[in-house]
Amino acid sequence: MTDVPTFLAGVTPERRHREAVELDAFFQRVTGWKPVLWRGGMLGYGTYDYTYASGRSGNFLATGFAPRKARLSIYVMPGYSDFGPILTRLGKHAKGKSCLYLNKLAEADMEVLEELIRAGLADLAKRWPVHPT
């Protein structure tokens, strides 16, 4: 299993590597938690336990990111709340159900991204137990 420093060192291209290192420091500062490398090249900060009405249960990252070659994926789990008012101030992005996509980290307002991560964690903690990593 690859450790976090080895994973970060292997991120390419060089711009994406720099962004990944910056995001790792950012998430550690914002959450106060250490990163854990998840399957699929996702760095997670904190975890949460869930049980669906179907009875299916599990554990997943509470927030984090994946430095994909095409764009950065930022995870705000599990995506229940409407963070539209925050997202309008973030900068250029696209969004999915529980993540948002940034082509360039420099196009995002980092203070707004911090606000989004904190709001996402607060919302998640209302629904599921969240644990530090």
Side-chain angles (χ1 to χ4, degrees), residues 31-71:
T31 66
W33 300 328
K34 296 292 183 193
V36 173
L37 185 60
W38 289 75
R39 190 176 75 230
M42 297 180 290
L43 286 179
Y45 303 80
T47 63
Y48 73 101
D49 302 315
Y50 61 87
T51 303
Y52 296 133
S54 66
R56 179 176 169 227
S57 63
N59 177 269
F60 200 57
L61 60 91
T63 191
F65 73 96
R68 309 284 185 225
K69 285 188 186 202
R71 56 192 179 177

Side-chain angles (χ1 to χ4, degrees), residues 8 19-33 35 43 45 65:
L8 288 171
E19 291 171 331
V21 170
E22 183 179 343
L23 275 174
D24 176 47
F26 170 81
F27 272 93
Q28 287 191 56
R29 180 184 60 76
V30 170
T31 66
W33 300 328
L43 286 179
Y45 303 80
F65 73 96

Side-chain angles (χ1 to χ4, degrees), residues 85-99:
I86 298 172
L87 290 171
T88 60
R89 297 181 286 116
L90 179 62
K92 188 175 178 181
H93 70 279
K95 62 181 181 170
K97 182 173 175 145
S98 295
C99 64

